[in-house]
Amino acid sequence: MTDTGSTGDARRDAYIARDERAAREQAEVDAMLLGTAPLPAPDPATRVPSVDELAERREVRVLPHGRRRGWAAIGGTAATAALLASLGTAAVTGALDAPALDTPTTAAPTQVVPASSTSATPDWQAVTAAVHESVVAIDVTTASGQGQGSGVVIDDEGHVLTNSHVVDGARELTVSLADGRLYKAELVGQDETTDLAVVRLLDPPADLAPATLGSSADLAVGQAVLAIGNPLGLDSTATTGIISALDRPVVTQSRTQSVVTNAIQIDAAVNPGNSGGPLFDARGQVIGINSSIATLSGGGGQSGSIGLGFAIPVDQAADVAEQLVEDGSVEHAFLGVGLTDATAEVDGVTRAGARIEQVEQGSPAAEGGLQRGDVVTAIDDRAVDGSAALTGYVRQYSSGDTATLDVARDGERIEVDVTLATRPAP
């Protein structure tokens, strides 16, 4: 005869033991992740729409990822979880403490992406095999902790392009190549305005495999893409998807300023640690630098990819990288206006745009004839739906470039040509 009471007690005891074991294991992981130093209070961040609006409506938030302790997080469970996941992987794997290899590794034969790999019929196995050696993992030590990110080799001199927020405040940088070799690195320069940075391997090997930089000028929604990086410390992780949108205004917060990017939106999975890694097309060319993700707010436990990732267009990234390598700093074009979001009606049609609230004296805007109250609805035939969009577009231009603005003024549409310039030093 079966003793159902004893069986039930045994099953209950087994469940209790399992839960207690899980709790102990979680406590050990939490201790490893958090260490002895508490996380600093997050700094407030600027978002579009505002953080308060997002919190109230439980919408998505945009946040940098692949950061370390001390990152200016936007607050909330989602941001904290993403931060801790990246830190925890570094602690568990001990990647930052691994010794450098002294024995050089023989370079693998160069692989070529077959001509048959197109956006319509991508051969991701061939593309990954051809490009993965150009992708690196970056381990960072700062005064407040450790963190991880990704990067892409851009020349045979050891320069690696990554995000500024990955290396911000770095006291020590270690770059891990795809074959596991570790190299110390130094910061060449960083640009918080675009969230881009360049580091250089100290004593780089002769067999580096620089990536081929493509162009972001002719990208299309629906185009196939491949992201490779170091999510949660899992180096050389490849994920695929499509371009979901172009010129998506994304506003994040660096240590000192708001970062506005008209980004490539993708649905390929990117997670904490992917920051700074390359986004490839089906031909194996870099078309963007993965930099941020959107995550659900409200404490629902969703902190990883929800299919909303954002990459800095490669044309902008390449220009910034070139200046950082040459000069260690970057000059940015500016318009010289204060902006707010607005709508304007022209010829019976209402359009969203960026209203000019202030025009700086002697600025390109003043020289071009822009006025307070003008609503900018397009720049060089690209629609402007708000202040973030216009700011993001202007940051893609170089000093001396000329742009044509579509402006709604007193119910009429006019075109205003402006020649952008570099902001004078204070």
Side-chain angles (χ1 to χ4, degrees):
M1 185 167 91
T2 303
D3 185 351
T4 56
S6 298
T7 301
D9 291 342
R11 183 177 296 119
R12 183 189 62 224
D13 292 343
Y15 288 156
I16 292 174
R18 181 196 62 186
D19 292 342
E20 289 177 347
R21 183 172 61 254
R24 287 195 305 270
E25 292 174 350
Q26 183 62 52
E28 292 173 358
V29 172
D30 289 343
M32 184 177 295
L33 296 183
L34 296 175
T36 56
L39 290 174
D43 295 334
T46 303
R47 294 294 180 273
V48 178
S50 70
V51 173
D52 290 337
E53 291 172 335
L54 291 178
E56 292 173 0
R57 299 188 326 219
R58 289 177 177 265
E59 294 183 354
V60 298
R61 301 184 181 192
V62 177
L63 70 157
H65 56 289
R67 294 301 305 271
R68 65 202 68 81
R69 299 176 188 174
W71 165 47
I74 63 173
T77 301
T80 303
L83 173 64
L84 294 181
S86 181
L87 288 172
T89 306
V92 171
T93 61
L96 297 178
D97 299 324
L101 298 179
D102 295 326
T103 304
T105 301
T106 303
T110 301
Q111 294 175 299
V112 179
V113 177
S116 59
S117 181
T118 66
S119 183
T121 59
D123 185 344
W124 291 132
Q125 184 175 355
V127 173
T128 303
V131 305
H132 79 282
E133 290 185 346
S134 67
V135 185
V136 303
I138 302 175
D139 294 327
V140 184
T141 301
T142 71
S144 56
Q146 297 174 333
Q148 295 180 319
S150 305
V152 58
V153 179
I154 57 175
D155 61 31
D156 56 11
E157 296 178 359
H159 290 107
V160 173
L161 177 60
T162 186
N163 283 140
S164 176
H165 73 256
V166 169
V167 300
D168 193 36
R171 290 187 171 182
E172 183 176 331
L173 295 168
T174 303
V175 173
S176 176
L177 302 186
D179 60 10
R181 285 177 291 171
L182 301 178
Y183 290 88
K184 297 298 182 183
E186 64 180 359
L187 179 63
V188 174
Q190 65 183 116
D191 180 46
E192 290 191 67
T193 300
T194 56
D195 192 23
L196 291 165
V198 172
V199 303
R200 186 179 68 85
L201 276 62
L202 301 178
D203 192 23
D207 59 350
L208 280 177
T212 299
L213 302 186
S215 173
S216 49
D218 299 318
L219 300 180
V221 174
Q223 181 175 335
V225 293
L226 164 73
I228 302 181
N230 183 38
L232 308 183
L234 304 174
D235 60 279
S236 300
T237 295
T239 58
T240 61
I242 63 168
I243 294 175
S244 304
L246 294 168
D247 295 322
R248 178 72 72 197
V250 175
V251 182
T252 57
Q253 185 71 28
S254 74
R255 175 170 43 85
T256 63
Q257 60 183 280
S258 294
V259 179
V260 184
T261 304
N262 281 4
I264 304 167
Q265 181 181 326
I266 60 174
D267 70 350
V270 287
N271 287 284
N274 270 113
S275 281
L279 182 69
F280 294 98
D281 63 12
R283 298 295 303 143
Q285 297 182 336
V286 178
I287 58 173
I289 300 298
N290 299 312
S291 61
S292 57
I293 59 174
T295 188
L296 295 173
S297 63
Q302 177 69 62
S303 60
S305 172
I306 57 172
L308 296 171
F310 305 97
I312 302 168
V314 71
D315 290 350
Q316 181 178 7
D319 177 63
V320 170
E322 182 179 3
Q323 293 187 62
L324 289 175
V325 170
E326 290 183 356
D327 304 318
S329 61
V330 180
E331 290 187 346
H332 294 286
F334 88 112
L335 184 58
V337 293
L339 301 170
T340 58
D341 296 335
T343 59
E345 183 174 338
V346 177
D347 299 329
V349 178
T350 301
R351 298 184 182 277
R355 174 182 288 137
I356 297 176
E357 303 292 352
Q358 178 183 2
V359 179
E360 295 182 25
Q361 185 176 3
S363 67
E367 296 295 329
L370 289 173
Q371 300 176 10
R372 186 175 183 274
D374 287 347
V375 177
V376 180
T377 59
I379 178 170
D380 285 340
D381 297 323
R382 296 180 291 180
V384 170
D385 62 3
S387 57
L390 181 57
T391 301
Y393 279 131
V394 169
R395 289 183 177 175
Q396 294 178 357
Y397 288 80
S398 299
S399 178
D401 289 346
T402 298
T404 300
L405 306 180
D406 287 2
V407 174
R409 180 185 295 171
D410 299 328
E412 297 183 355
R413 173 186 175 275
I414 63 173
E415 292 186 350
V416 176
D417 293 330
V418 292
T419 300
L420 302 173
T422 301
R423 183 181 295 277

